Amino acid sequence: QFLQLSLSLSLPMFFRKPSPIQPQKPQQCTTKSQSLSKTKEPHITTINLSIKSTVFASFLIASCFLFLHFRRPTTTTTTTAVKTTATCKGSPPFYIYNLPPRFNLDLLKNCKNLNIYMNMCPHVTNNGLGQPLSKPSWYATHQFLAEMIFHARLENHVCRTWDPNQAVLFYIPFYGGLYSSSVFRQQNHTLRDSLAVDLIDHIKQQRWFNRYNGKDHFISLGRTAWDFMRTKTGHDFGANILLNLPPVKNMSVLTVERQPWKGKNQNGIPYPSYFHPKTKNEMLTWQNKVRQNDRPFLFSFIGGKRKGLGKAKIRDELVKQCNESTRCELVECGVANSKCHQPMEVLGVMMKSRFCLQAPGDSFTRRSTFDSVVAGCIPVFFSPHTAYTQYAWYFPEERNTYSVYIEEGGVGKKRNLIEEVLMGISDEEVEKMREVVIGLIPRVSYSHPNVSDVGFSDAVDVALRGLFKVVRDNIGNNEI
């Protein structure tokens, strides 16, 4: 009855200019409109009322009610899209699919069983950064969690748009690496492949995927491409068939190790190291530290032997030569040596070394390559597939400006004794190479995902620009 009375009194007055009134203590008419933003924070609309008479108060109350009843609710979707387009520089605007949680976040609920060798619960914390170390912005980050860090970084990125009409790229946030490692021992291939197959079935139904058959879509994977390319005739080593599915071949795949011969649509991204800066100043401070650090060792090797692996056989020779040299620091990894699993111990050795040996292991690539770059240590490679055919977006095309390559076949021969090769590089040349390596640290680092704009281009920014070029080449400038 009060509402009916208020409406009957106020509607005739709605177009009439009210007479001047004296200001009195304001009252508020407040409501909350539903928001679609990530944070789900409500928008609050407040109208201050100054009341002199009961009739005028009824007029304002009714007007407020009508305004709130008939107005279209605002959401952060439109606001974010406009803001993103206005502030995004250097990288293309991208849209993140809101996948059913079983493809990503629900997997984390079973974190104890995400890896057949270890409990992943401590590692998936802090958006995949893992447990914090004693230094700010340093974390004990697991090497196979780039997909989680990538996702978290994109969630807060300044180039994210909530409007797919404005997007140049479309990101599919599937935690494929975590799922893959959780079902390595699943003997039923149909079950092992099931989540990957379901994901692609889901994506194929999306309007934006069908526009260009997925050519503007991408996915990031925290494990090597080999873990997603099982064939019918090849050896079964626990892989699934995600990257062999026809729709995926149209997409761009970001992976810490691409298949060098069949991975045409695959692009290598850095393994995550331990440094995740929040500001440009943190990065500059670290770069200055590694630049000025004393390096008493000519070279070092951190790693263990691999029995039965042909491509890792060279490790035996590296351990042997390092042991025999007074200029080498060896940290031989094994069950008894826990230093290999202590980030600051690993970086400490690398920061005291001029050169860091990077031998293939279970696969061609290794996280140690990026640890050495972060430590300002010049990497020494023995296979072109450890870096040169992998990370074209991140490392200079001129390989000798930042690294040393020693042909694997001659390492055990006198002409390729590691110490002799490295001693033949002048101090001046070493300084030039180290400066290039130090300059690479920002672009191979994953900045802290809680920061939208860290002030420099990190590994995610480099990937976005690389993806933009891929899409532009595949679709054409006129279509973008």
Side-chain angles (χ1 to χ4, degrees):
Q1 291 178 345
F2 173 77
L3 180 59
Q4 291 175 344
L5 175 61
S6 300
L7 288 171
S8 65
L9 290 173
S10 62
L11 287 175
M13 299 175 59
F14 191 79
F15 300 101
R16 189 169 63 192
K17 183 178 180 180
S19 58
I21 57 174
Q22 297 296 324
Q24 296 185 13
K25 184 177 180 180
Q27 296 182 2
Q28 292 183 330
C29 176
T30 305
T31 186
K32 297 181 180 179
S33 61
Q34 195 68 27
S35 169
L36 301 179
S37 69
K38 177 186 174 187
T39 55
K40 298 183 180 179
E41 294 178 354
H43 298 277
I44 301 179
T45 303
T46 306
I47 301 176
N48 292 331
L49 304 179
S50 298
I51 302 173
K52 180 179 180 180
S53 64
T54 304
V55 173
F56 188 65
S58 300
F59 157 69
L60 287 179
I61 293 172
S63 298
C64 180
F65 169 80
L66 289 172
F67 172 74
L68 296 173
H69 181 73
F70 291 107
R71 79 183 183 107
R72 186 178 181 179
T74 59
T75 71
T76 57
T77 302
T78 303
T79 304
T80 304
V82 174
K83 181 179 179 182
T84 299
T85 304
T87 59
C88 178
K89 295 180 181 179
S91 299
F94 61 86
Y95 178 80
I96 302 177
Y97 276 106
N98 183 24
L99 296 180
R102 66 193 181 99
F103 294 116
N104 42 50
L105 298 182
D106 277 359
L107 291 170
L108 306 182
K109 297 177 181 178
N110 191 30
C111 56
K112 289 183 179 180
N113 299 310
L114 287 176
N115 190 301
I116 60 176
Y117 302 109
M118 67 178 66
N119 177 7
M120 290 296 290
C121 293
H123 302 290
V124 299
T125 58
N126 294 310
N127 290 317
L129 300 185
Q131 299 299 310
L133 299 173
S134 57
K135 295 182 178 181
S137 298
W138 289 83
Y139 294 80
T141 305
H142 193 277
Q143 63 175 332
F144 291 139
L145 286 180
E147 60 198 29
M148 275 193 71
I149 301 171
F150 212 97
H151 183 198
R153 174 85 171 91
L154 290 182
E155 286 275 348
N156 285 328
H157 200 282
V158 293
C159 293
R160 179 185 184 180
T161 175
W162 295 73
D163 182 0
N165 290 289
Q166 297 187 13
V168 173
L169 299 172
F170 290 79
Y171 171 54
I172 304 170
F174 176 45
Y175 294 171
L178 289 173
Y179 173 70
S180 175
S181 62
S182 71
V183 292
F184 274 156
R185 291 176 177 167
Q186 173 56 254
Q187 297 300 311
N188 186 320
H189 288 180
T190 300
L191 291 178
R192 190 193 299 173
D193 299 335
S194 60
L195 194 63
V197 172
D198 288 352
L199 171 76
I200 302 308
D201 286 342
H202 175 79
I203 292 298
K204 285 193 303 182
Q205 299 174 20
Q206 306 306 310
R207 167 192 172 190
W208 299 103
F209 182 87
N210 292 303
R211 181 176 59 167
Y212 296 125
N213 292 320
K215 292 180 179 180
D216 52 357
H217 285 54
F218 71 97
I219 191 170
S220 61
L221 299 171
R223 297 191 68 91
T224 70
W226 310 93
D227 292 332
F228 309 93
M229 300 182 70
R230 189 188 74 250
T231 60
K232 293 181 179 179
T233 57
H235 175 67
D236 177 24
F237 51 91
N240 61 55
I241 60 170
L242 173 66
L243 299 189
N244 290 333
L245 297 174
V248 179
K249 292 184 179 295
N250 283 337
M251 296 161 39
S252 291
V253 177
L254 306 181
T255 172
V256 292
E257 178 175 333
R258 61 185 296 270
Q259 215 273 22
W261 304 283
K262 298 181 180 180
K264 184 179 179 181
N265 67 325
Q266 300 167 13
N267 301 277
I269 58 174
Y271 284 88
S273 189
Y274 309 109
F275 184 37
H276 306 284
K278 300 182 182 70
T279 66
K280 183 178 181 179
N281 186 59
E282 282 186 354
M283 175 57 71
L284 292 174
T285 300
W286 177 253
Q287 286 177 297
N288 286 330
K289 179 177 177 60
V290 298
R291 182 180 289 115
Q292 298 167 10
N293 216 60
D294 184 36
R295 298 179 184 270
F297 304 118
L298 175 64
F299 63 111
S300 63
F301 179 58
I302 302 174
K305 299 178 180 179
R306 292 287 195 277
K307 295 182 178 179
L309 284 176
K311 61 177 171 291
K313 187 177 180 181
I314 191 176
R315 288 179 170 231
D316 294 349
E317 185 64 29
L318 299 189
V319 171
K320 176 178 177 293
Q321 290 195 30
C322 192
N323 263 327
E324 294 174 350
S325 173
T326 58
R327 297 184 175 95
C328 183
E329 177 74 356
L330 174 66
V331 180
E332 191 170 359
C333 300
V335 178
N337 194 347
S338 61
K339 285 187 177 181
C340 293
H341 305 292
Q342 297 178 17
M344 304 320 293
E345 290 282 348
V346 170
L347 289 173
V349 172
M350 291 181 170
M351 289 178 67
K352 295 177 181 178
S353 309
R354 290 188 173 194
F355 299 94
C356 291
L357 308 184
Q358 304 300 332
D362 296 329
S363 63
F364 288 115
T365 63
R366 61 194 312 239
R367 195 258 288 277
S368 178
T369 295
F370 299 97
D371 293 340
S372 71
V373 171
V374 169
C377 185
I378 301 166
V380 180
F381 299 118
F382 303 90
S383 167
H385 304 310
T386 303
Y388 303 143
T389 63
Q390 297 288 341
Y391 310 108
W393 292 349
Y394 295 90
F395 291 150
E397 187 176 353
E398 301 80 12
R399 61 178 68 176
N400 62 343
T401 61
Y402 74 97
S403 68
V404 175
Y405 180 69
I406 301 178
E407 184 64 41
E408 180 180 355
V411 169
K413 300 177 182 179
K414 187 174 182 180
R415 64 181 175 87
N416 266 350
L417 289 175
I418 297 170
E419 182 175 331
E420 297 297 324
V421 172
L422 300 181
M423 284 292 291
I425 303 174
S426 67
D427 290 346
E428 182 181 2
E429 189 63 23
V430 169
E431 289 300 320
K432 289 181 180 179
M433 296 172 70
R434 183 180 301 119
E435 197 58 36
V436 174
V437 169
I438 292 173
L440 294 173
I441 298 176
R443 63 190 296 110
V444 302
S445 299
Y446 292 91
S447 58
H448 199 289
N450 287 354
V451 182
S452 295
D453 188 359
V454 75
F456 61 85
S457 293
D458 73 341
V460 172
D461 293 313
V462 172
L464 288 174
R465 288 196 291 269
L467 287 166
F468 178 57
K469 185 179 184 302
V470 170
V471 171
R472 187 177 57 195
D473 293 344
N474 289 342
I475 298 175
N477 285 327
N478 294 334
E479 296 291 333
I480 297 177

